Amino acid sequence: MNFSALIPLMAMLVQLWPYSLSMRNHSAQNPDLSFTGVRRVKRGWLWEPLFATEEQVSLGPLYIGQLKSDLDKQDGNLEYILTGEGAGSIFVIDEYNGKIYVTQKLDREKKPFYSLKAKAINRSTRLPVEPESEFIIKVRDVNDHEPQFLDGPYVATVPEMSPEGTSVIQVTATDGDDPSYGNSARLLYSLIQGQPYFSVEPKTGVIRMASQMDRETNDQYLVVIQAKDMVGQPGAFSATATVTINLSDVNDNPPKFQQRLYHMSVSEEAPVGTTVGKVFAEDSDIGENAAMNYSIEGDSSHVFDIITNNETQEGIILLKKTVDYESKRRYSIQAKVVNKYIDERFLKEGPFEDKTIIKINVEDADEPPVFTSENYVMEIDEGAMKGSLVGVVTARDPDDDDSPVRYSIVQSVPLKRLFSINEHNGTIITTKPLDREIASWHNITVTATETRNPEKISEANVYVQVLDVNENAPEFPKYYEIFVCENTISGQLIKTVSAVDQDDSAEGHHFSFSLAPEATNNSHFTVKDNQDNTAGIFTSKSGFRRQEQFFFYLPILIQDNGTPRLTSTNTLTVTVCNCDTEVNTFYCRYGAFLHSLGLSTEALVAVLACILILLVFFLAIVTIRQQKKKSPFSEKMEEFRENIVSYDDEGGGEEDTEAFDISALRTRTVMRTHKPRRKVTSEIHSLYRQSLQVGPDSAIFRQFISEKLEEANTDPTVPPYDSLQTYAFEGTGSLAGSLSSLGSNMSDADQSYDYLADWGPHFKQLAGMYTSHRSVGD
């Protein structure tokens, strides 16, 4: 084998490591074997570990150890054989002396150990001199890897003004070398960039604050950390990582107004809530640490207000109360701003607030008149005469020019009829007497208008109270029904009465009750005043007789406590009832009703019976008349339907049944059965008399036409829709006269029908009928 062609090894150590199982087996067979120094005995094998560096491998194979049998006489009779992982390629053995060499570069990170087997045989017999032994070659690590920051770059945040030593972040580097052997994987951290603000712990990589830092000065720092292996010894590998450290905000700065003095203005016409202006305080902090509240200090807080805009952190000055140029033209207010959230750690630096002065000028404007009061309350006695003074309202122009004012009432029409106002001086008077019982209060709206500028108008409310005058006497609130039994004893209460008064009383109503003087001596009843605006009616004797006196009339005097006192006489009607001691109201009312009619019970029953009989008789007559009643035109209708027919052609006489279909005038609802002709002459005269009474404007004629039209519209047997039925009325008073004999004044006896025989065979039957009729008449 050409060992000179092998590549040099890296600087690493290789250890020859016997396989533990073979050692245990050898110890069992050779209990006397033991280790002496670095020389070890294993089942007749002798071996010792050797070490090599990278420089030794660079010129050829690196010797790492030797296997030797204790039976080896060094005469070349034994042959050493190596098998297993990498045998013959990575590891070679000198077959004569058992020395083992590594011929290739080994990488512990790829394969940390190799399992090999060794045996010794006799060259002549080719038989094993020593049994096969297994051992491990472990690759020792050398520093061939650089440290690495796998999680970089790093970003960390720490509150500003944090004290020294505050932990910011921990950075960690890794090394691919074996940490359990040597210093190849032992790292040391150092700070390349970031002094004097930060420091790093060499062994742990923890970055700490080295001094207090203000975010408002610089809010971000870039720190560079270096990690070296071999504990930083010369020749060590190193790596760097960047750490971006942001300072988070804390409330360490108070707000500050941009100006120490603000100037603003507002018109005296501005309504409440108008924005007057804005102020702004700066705070170097951010977020909620810069949140602030504005307020107004001093006496001006009732005129102006300030609110905080949470988005812009501005203070908005608002008008809290209307201002008047003529009263006060300039205001000076003090505004204060305070942080919402205060960090107590920084209170020692001073209060987190600031103040400023705001000068506000009031601008003059043309204002409407101003009443001396927004609401006026006036009083007037009811019944006061027309033109009585109610009160006076006053308004003036608040501007410097002091324009004259014109007054008027702007209310409903009824109030204008009750009150009027002098447009020059605001005097309100009545236009008619007022009645408190109709309305005790009147609400009036009075306007004041500048004469020079009619658009400037103001209003005031006037409430007029109509004072009560004792003009109504007290009276009973209702009609009292009082009944007393015939067997009532003396001193019995039969009714309690009360009183009402339409007038008002400031002290409350108080009524007194008593009997009228004319009834005091001969009354059968007494009145007791209960002193609570009620009175009791008592009997003053025992026993009453209806036959002697049915009704008693008791006059009661009722007096009020008004000024002046008014008294009224109210009469109670006491009815004697046929009862023992307890009143039956229904029965007593019934008895009173009969008594008012002057009838007894028996007489009343008889009267009612007669009325009932007359009513039944009347209903019977009405029913009979309705059954006999007929339509006055029913007979005329039938005659017209059968006899009044208009033909548009000459026709063929009575025997011609095809010239005109008479069924077109008939419907199923009006079709009559044929009746034999009776008394033709009298029927013709009757028809003639009826025709004289019927005309185009006659209600009978219109009714006939309407009925025929309705029948034609509803009857399915009528001719087709394109057929035309004509109903014409000839009328009366024709200059040519009538062609009919119906209008003749001659009687049937004077009339000659002989000419009918000359009309031909078609009229033969008609001529025979009238000729026979005349013979019978003669």
Side-chain angles (χ1 to χ4, degrees), residues 269 321 724 743:
E269 285 185 324
K321 182 181 178 181
L724 178 63

Side-chain angles (χ1 to χ4, degrees), residues 173-249:
T174 60
D175 195 313
D177 296 325
D178 187 2
S180 62
Y181 178 78
N183 296 325
S184 299
R186 294 181 62 184
L187 304 178
L188 189 68
Y189 298 94
S190 61
L191 197 65
I192 296 179
Q193 178 180 324
Q195 298 93 347
Y197 309 108
F198 301 97
S199 63
V200 62
E201 293 183 357
K203 295 182 179 181
T204 61
V206 175
I207 300 175
R208 298 183 181 276
M209 300 284 290
S211 62
Q212 284 189 332
M213 288 173 286
D214 189 3
R215 186 199 65 84
E216 288 72 32
T217 302
N218 188 11
D219 61 351
Q220 189 177 81
Y221 292 85
L222 188 64
V223 177
V224 179
I225 299 295
Q226 183 185 64
K228 277 188 176 184
D229 59 10
M230 298 293 292
V231 200
Q233 296 177 1
F237 295 108
S238 65
T240 59
T242 59
V243 182
T244 301
I245 300 177
N246 298 313
L247 297 183
S248 61
D249 185 55

Side-chain angles (χ1 to χ4, degrees), residues 457-688:
I457 303 174
S458 59
E459 294 182 352
N461 298 317
V462 179
Y463 305 99
V464 180
Q465 182 182 16
V466 182
L467 300 178
D468 184 43
V469 175
N470 194 19
E471 59 182 355
N472 295 286
E475 58 185 0
F476 286 137
K478 61 181 180 179
Y479 173 75
Y480 288 104
E481 276 187 325
I482 303 178
F483 300 98
V484 60
C485 292
E486 289 183 312
N487 296 331
T488 302
I489 61 175
S490 177
Q492 182 175 341
L493 175 65
I494 60 174
K495 195 69 175 180
T496 299
V497 297
S498 62
V500 294
D501 194 333
Q502 295 184 4
D503 297 320
D504 284 338
S505 176
E507 301 176 356
H509 288 295
H510 180 71
F511 305 114
S512 59
F513 300 85
S514 63
L515 276 175
E518 62 269 18
T520 303
N521 298 328
N522 57 357
S523 176
H524 299 290
F525 304 93
T526 59
V527 177
K528 180 182 178 182
D529 193 340
N530 296 328
Q531 302 299 320
D532 60 353
N533 292 338
T534 64
I537 309 300
F538 294 86
T539 59
S540 60
K541 71 169 220 172
S542 300
F544 293 87
R545 293 181 60 81
R546 299 174 63 194
Q547 291 77 8
E548 294 179 358
Q549 189 171 352
F550 199 89
F551 297 106
F552 291 90
Y553 300 99
L554 191 63
I556 306 295
L557 291 180
I558 308 176
Q559 187 180 56
D560 61 16
N561 60 335
T563 304
R565 292 178 178 269
L566 297 180
T567 304
S568 66
T569 301
N570 299 265
T571 302
L572 294 175
T573 301
V574 183
T575 304
V576 180
C577 183
N578 185 16
C579 55
D580 293 333
T581 57
E582 196 167 330
V583 175
N584 187 321
T585 304
F586 175 77
Y587 179 76
C588 292
R589 288 176 179 172
Y590 174 71
F593 174 71
L594 294 181
H595 184 271
S596 63
L597 296 178
L599 298 174
S600 62
T601 304
E602 295 78 4
L604 180 61
V605 172
V607 171
L608 293 177
C610 292
I611 294 174
L612 181 61
I613 293 172
L614 291 175
L615 181 61
V616 172
F617 181 72
F618 175 74
L619 292 176
I621 293 175
V622 171
T623 303
I624 293 172
R625 287 185 176 182
Q626 288 181 348
Q627 292 178 353
K628 291 183 178 182
K629 189 176 182 181
K630 291 184 178 180
S631 174
F633 193 67
S634 60
E635 190 64 29
K636 297 177 183 178
M637 190 74 68
E638 298 294 335
E639 295 297 336
F640 282 136
R641 287 173 182 169
E642 294 187 5
N643 298 292
I644 300 178
V645 180
S646 176
Y647 293 93
D648 294 333
D649 56 352
E650 181 177 351
E654 290 184 353
E655 296 180 359
D656 186 4
T657 61
E658 298 180 357
F660 184 81
D661 187 7
I662 193 65
S663 63
L665 297 177
R666 299 178 179 175
T667 65
R668 295 179 182 179
T669 58
V670 300
M671 185 69 71
R672 297 193 308 162
T673 58
H674 178 71
K675 296 180 180 179
R677 195 175 186 87
R678 296 180 292 106
K679 296 181 182 181
V680 178
T681 306
S682 61
E683 291 178 359
I684 292 175
H685 279 284
S686 175
L687 181 61
Y688 173 72

Side-chain angles (χ1 to χ4, degrees), residues 309-356:
N309 186 328
N310 294 324
E311 294 183 358
T312 63
Q313 295 300 317
E314 292 177 315
I316 303 174
I317 311 296
L318 300 178
L319 188 62
K320 190 175 182 180
K321 182 181 178 181
T322 57
V323 293
D324 185 13
Y325 175 82
E326 287 71 26
S327 301
K328 189 173 183 179
R329 303 183 179 184
R330 187 173 293 104
Y331 291 87
S332 178
I333 62 177
Q334 186 178 41
K336 183 174 75 171
V337 62
V338 180
N339 273 135
K340 282 186 180 180
Y341 310 101
I342 298 177
D343 194 334
E344 295 182 355
R345 295 177 300 169
F346 304 101
L347 286 178
K348 59 183 180 181
E349 304 294 334
F352 281 73
E353 64 182 40
D354 195 18
K355 296 180 181 180
T356 188

